[in-house]
Amino acid sequence: MSATPEEQSAKKQYGGWNKQYQHHSKTLGCDMKFSVFTPPAADKQKVPVLYFLSGLTCDDQTFIVKSNAQRKASEHGIALVTCDTSPRGLNIDGEEEDWDFGTGAGFYLNATQPKWRQYRMYDYVVKELPEVLQSLAGLDVHKASVFGHSMGGHGALTIFLKNSGVYKSVSAYAPICNPINVQWGRKAFSGYLGDDQSTWKEYDATELVKQYNGPKVPVLIDIGTLDNFKDKQLLPEAFQKAAEGKLDVQLRLQV
């Protein structure tokens, strides 16, 4: 498989195109798929890019198929880009055993443990994917924003905070806001990053925002009050408190 993206499918929607691509990732050492919705405005000029990072067990098609976000993206002239949630097919012992670790659960970090060294989804999203997208017509990757759901919400928040000024906006649906203090995060971080918990803070939005000194931008976090994971795995209030005076966080609780 070439490093140049090869079109796998194309479907018309709301005047634009849903297209899935595949390429060989030099960062991850495997073939990866990503999906792009380009609005009709992209036929005439380059349009801004909105990255969506999916949650546990999802892939690049989950959001594209289920969300119907293409309607608004078409109206506002925004391209939607989704990628997979982990490398696939690396034949690492144990990568298929759990739904919350390994395949489909890359946690948008760069693993440091030798066994998982190819799990570098942070570098893939921040560095390689934008480079690959530049080969596609109609996309302005220098005008980019990011949002995500659950594990992907964690990814969106941490990527935004670690790259001040790169992304125009950030928002998240039911994000894992303080992973070092919940079971999902502790399991993933110990496996990918090792037992030194001081290194875990590099990928924890609540810890990162304490050191943030960039622009005070609005951040929307949307979550249901009856979400069973809210107080056990997500901890949005911890992020909101840590961000006081640094970001304009709107915690929108849906009843």
Side-chain angles (χ1 to χ4, degrees):
M1 173 63 66
S2 170
T4 302
E6 297 180 2
E7 186 178 307
Q8 304 295 298
S9 65
K11 297 178 181 178
K12 196 83 170 177
Q13 187 177 19
Y14 295 116
W17 287 96
N18 288 314
K19 294 186 178 182
Q20 186 182 50
Y21 297 88
Q22 183 168 321
H23 72 113
H24 184 77
S25 168
K26 60 185 179 183
T27 300
L28 306 175
C30 65
D31 293 344
M32 291 290 287
K33 292 181 179 179
F34 65 90
S35 295
V36 181
F37 171 76
T38 51
D43 294 337
K44 299 178 180 179
Q45 61 187 16
K46 287 190 173 183
V47 299
V49 171
L50 178 56
Y51 295 96
F52 180 82
L53 306 182
S54 293
L56 293 163
T57 74
C58 296
D59 60 23
D60 67 295
Q61 283 283 283
T62 307
F63 180 77
I64 292 293
V65 171
K66 294 183 177 182
S67 71
N68 198 37
Q70 295 92 331
R71 180 172 65 87
K72 286 294 184 180
S74 179
E75 291 176 8
H76 293 284
I78 298 171
L80 299 174
V81 176
T82 64
C83 65
D84 210 339
T85 50
S86 76
R88 293 186 186 263
L90 295 178
N91 297 315
I92 299 173
D93 182 44
E95 68 179 348
E96 302 284 351
E97 290 182 0
D98 295 321
W99 66 275
D100 56 357
F101 185 82
T103 300
F107 270 83
Y108 303 101
L109 51 71
N110 288 338
T112 57
Q113 294 303 288
K115 179 178 178 180
W116 302 98
R117 63 187 181 278
Q118 288 175 264
Y119 272 60
R120 301 181 62 83
M121 288 301 294
Y122 175 85
D123 276 355
Y124 179 75
V125 171
V126 174
K127 299 177 181 179
E128 184 173 9
L129 185 56
E131 291 179 1
V132 172
L133 291 174
Q134 291 190 64
S135 67
L136 303 180
L139 304 181
D140 186 351
V141 299
H142 301 295
K143 292 182 179 178
S145 296
V146 61
F147 72 134
H149 169 247
S150 188
M151 178 185 71
H154 140 78
L157 292 172
T158 56
I159 285 172
F160 177 85
L161 291 167
K162 288 165 70 69
N163 297 274
S164 179
V166 174
Y167 300 93
K168 305 300 182 184
S169 70
V170 61
S171 56
Y173 302 107
I176 305 171
C177 293
N178 193 194
I180 65 174
N181 286 319
V182 300
Q183 186 272 336
W184 281 341
R186 289 193 292 264
K187 179 177 179 178
F189 287 6
S190 61
Y192 294 135
L193 303 174
D195 295 330
D196 182 358
Q197 296 189 18
S198 66
T199 66
W200 298 5
K201 295 181 180 181
E202 184 179 351
Y203 298 104
D204 185 299
T206 299
E207 295 297 324
L208 287 170
V209 78
K210 295 175 183 178
Q211 309 302 322
Y212 177 77
N213 58 6
K216 189 178 180 181
V217 299
V219 178
L220 173 64
I221 294 178
D222 194 285
I223 187 171
T225 55
L226 298 181
D227 189 321
N228 291 330
F229 296 123
K230 175 179 175 292
D231 298 321
K232 297 179 180 179
Q233 301 282 12
L234 308 181
L235 308 186
E237 288 88 357
F239 177 80
Q240 184 182 40
K241 182 178 180 179
E244 289 180 358
K246 295 177 177 289
L247 296 170
D248 183 13
V249 177
Q250 179 187 358
L251 179 56
R252 188 167 65 187
L253 300 176
Q254 303 284 3
V255 179

